Amino acid sequence: MKQKIFLTSCIAMGFVAPVFAEPSNTDDFPSDGYMQEDYTYTNAATSDNMDGVYSGTVNAVAEYDIIDYIVNAGQYLPADSETVITCPAGSFCPGISGNVQYNQTTPQGIQTCPTGYASSAAGASSDTQCYRTCDINNMGTSFTNIAHATAVSGNDYYGAGTDTCEPTACVNGWHLKEGLDLAEKLATHNPNNSGTNTYAYFGSTGGGGGVMPSSYYGLNQDEWAVSLNDLNNFGDIRGRSICSTETGDDQDQTWTNTTVFQNLTDERGMSGAINCYCNVTGYRENNTSEWQSVTSPWVFVTRNNGGPMNESECSSMCARHCAFDTKGGNNGLKFTNALLSTVEPSLATCEANTITINWSDASAADISANNAGTATYGEDVRTPVKAATKKGQTFRGWRFSAPEQTDLP
């Protein structure tokens, strides 16, 4: 009988037990029940902590708090983003009242600029900051500042936005008058230290220190004026003053970040109305009589520490401070710079040419009597009172004749 022999091969099998990391933090079970990431809670596996479960399975449900974002004007929250960013060019972002939550598909707080006004600067917060480039062929009749223009520059803003369209060239008969920027003009005029600045305020009667009578500038109540003669050929400034209970700060008479209000209530004579504010209403060039209207907010100049004043005292005192500190006062031109930096620049315009008319056979007195020596292009022509009488001739009338042009060598 043959014996069967079974050969058994023993294979050594290796078993590797998994290695578990220990959580980084150790603590007692939290009293509010919210377990945090990467913790060991010591002896916490009890039914009290596990919602009454003694055995089997217990669910650990993750709970989350919704993050609220604040979206200010000029910002928005992009779709699928957790970061509020600046509104991009070509859009406007008015801001969102209340808190905003994450949204995977929809941006929040951003709107496209209106049709036809597709441009805007980054950070725009209103549709009135959307614009189109000014076009001489597409401006309409409301743009009075570009009348008689042949070319324009600037931007046409949507709705009530402040347009910057202005002419750069004019049709025949009109000439380009540059806009007025008093802050820029002041920066280009170096003091000549002549000490000849003069000033006046409502009620001033003249005297030393450059004070002129208020009649010199034709000032009314609350008004003041200054001739900045120390600044070569700068010209004259006039403005108004106001007394207010609104307090202000002049930074120890440096006016580096002074208080400014767009609107103030006139509080002359009221108890405590002892803060003086100034604005600028007009400018004229040297040796001219015509004031150009300008606009500025109210700028704090000083506080009178002498107590409440009656109406006339307040008017005179605040106007005097405005004039004195604008003309240089005891602090150079620091207030002048602060005040003029708030004046809104005006735009260029096309102004009608003034044409001098040389009347033959008419006396200077007869020309002057009817103000016939000049005419404004496109407006009336005035003739002298009469022409000279000549024996044997009947006056037929004057006819215009362009003077002969002389070729320059």
Side-chain angles (χ1 to χ4, degrees):
M1 182 177 179
K2 293 182 178 180
Q3 185 178 12
K4 294 181 178 179
I5 300 174
F6 296 93
L7 299 176
T8 304
S9 177
C10 295
I11 301 174
M13 304 290 293
F15 296 91
V16 179
V19 178
F20 297 100
E22 289 292 328
S24 301
N25 305 289
T26 301
D27 203 350
D28 295 331
F29 194 77
S31 60
D32 61 4
Y34 287 105
M35 297 173 287
Q36 301 304 306
E37 301 164 308
D38 199 22
Y39 264 81
T40 294
Y41 291 108
T42 307
N43 301 323
T46 67
S47 63
D48 289 341
N49 295 333
M50 294 183 172
D51 200 27
V53 173
Y54 287 86
S55 63
T57 301
V58 65
N59 297 321
V61 180
E63 296 183 12
Y64 295 84
D65 289 325
I66 300 296
I67 298 175
D68 291 325
Y69 301 93
I70 297 175
V71 179
N72 295 317
Q75 299 178 321
Y76 82 110
L77 182 64
D80 196 28
S81 175
E82 298 178 277
T83 303
V84 175
I85 63 175
T86 299
C87 195
S91 303
F92 67 97
C93 302
I96 300 176
S97 177
N99 295 321
V100 181
Q101 286 81 44
Y102 166 87
N103 189 299
Q104 185 176 10
T105 60
T106 305
Q108 299 174 83
I110 185 171
Q111 299 183 46
T112 302
C113 279
T115 302
Y117 294 81
S119 300
S120 71
S125 58
S126 168
D127 59 1
T128 58
Q129 293 172 276
C130 297
Y131 65 89
R132 60 180 179 174
T133 301
C134 299
D135 182 349
I136 191 65
N137 299 312
N138 192 28
M139 290 289 95
T141 58
S142 61
F143 291 86
T144 56
N145 61 305
I146 62 169
H148 311 293
T150 57
V152 295
S153 65
N155 297 325
D156 170 19
Y157 286 86
Y158 180 77
T162 302
D163 300 314
T164 58
C165 299
E166 61 180 347
T168 56
C170 304
V171 299
N172 290 336
W174 277 260
H175 63 276
L176 185 68
K177 182 178 181 180
E178 297 292 343
L180 177 64
D181 188 333
L182 288 180
E184 182 179 274
K185 185 178 179 70
L186 183 64
T188 62
H189 281 67
N190 296 320
N192 58 31
N193 299 316
S194 62
T196 58
N197 285 351
T198 59
Y199 69 103
Y201 51 90
F202 179 69
S204 62
T205 57
V211 182
M212 306 294 288
S214 57
S215 58
Y216 180 79
Y217 297 99
L219 301 179
N220 299 311
Q221 183 166 290
D222 305 322
E223 287 190 320
W224 57 270
V226 170
S227 294
L228 291 173
N229 302 314
D230 281 5
L231 299 174
N232 296 300
N233 298 315
F234 184 89
D236 302 340
I237 303 167
R238 73 185 298 164
R240 290 189 60 233
S241 64
I242 198 169
C243 298
S244 175
T245 54
E246 293 282 358
T247 58
D249 185 1
D250 61 9
Q251 291 78 48
D252 295 325
Q253 292 194 311
T254 62
W255 295 282
T256 53
N257 187 29
T258 192
T259 309
V260 175
F261 287 96
Q262 291 297 327
N263 297 290
L264 280 177
T265 301
D266 191 344
E267 296 171 329
R268 290 173 295 172
M270 290 182 62
S271 176
I274 51 180
N275 298 288
C276 293
Y277 289 81
C278 319
N279 72 358
V280 183
T281 60
Y283 165 80
R284 69 181 178 187
E285 297 179 348
N286 282 353
N287 304 316
T288 65
S289 58
E290 181 181 355
W291 289 93
Q292 300 178 52
S293 295
V294 298
T295 302
S296 80
W298 293 106
V299 179
F300 176 76
V301 60
T302 194
R303 175 180 175 83
N304 176 50
N305 294 316
M309 296 167 288
N310 62 39
E311 182 171 329
S312 61
E313 288 174 333
C314 191
S315 295
S316 177
M317 187 276 292
C318 281
R320 179 172 61 84
H321 276 298
C322 291
F324 179 75
D325 285 304
T326 300
K327 77 100 176 177
N330 298 321
N331 295 282
L333 296 172
K334 293 178 181 178
F335 180 70
T336 315
N337 278 282
L339 180 63
L340 296 191
S341 69
T342 69
V343 178
E344 298 178 11
S346 63
L347 299 173
T349 57
C350 287
E351 300 289 325
N353 293 340
T354 298
I355 300 172
T356 300
I357 304 176
N358 296 318
W359 299 98
S360 66
D361 296 310
S363 69
D366 287 338
I367 295 171
S368 176
N370 281 355
N371 193 22
T374 61
T376 300
Y377 191 85
E379 298 183 9
D380 298 340
V381 172
R382 297 171 299 275
T383 64
V385 174
K386 62 180 182 296
T389 301
K390 295 186 176 183
K391 292 182 178 181
Q393 299 182 40
T394 301
F395 176 67
R396 179 183 294 181
W398 288 281
R399 295 181 66 183
F400 285 123
S401 174
E404 294 184 3
Q405 299 296 321
T406 302
D407 293 334
L408 296 177

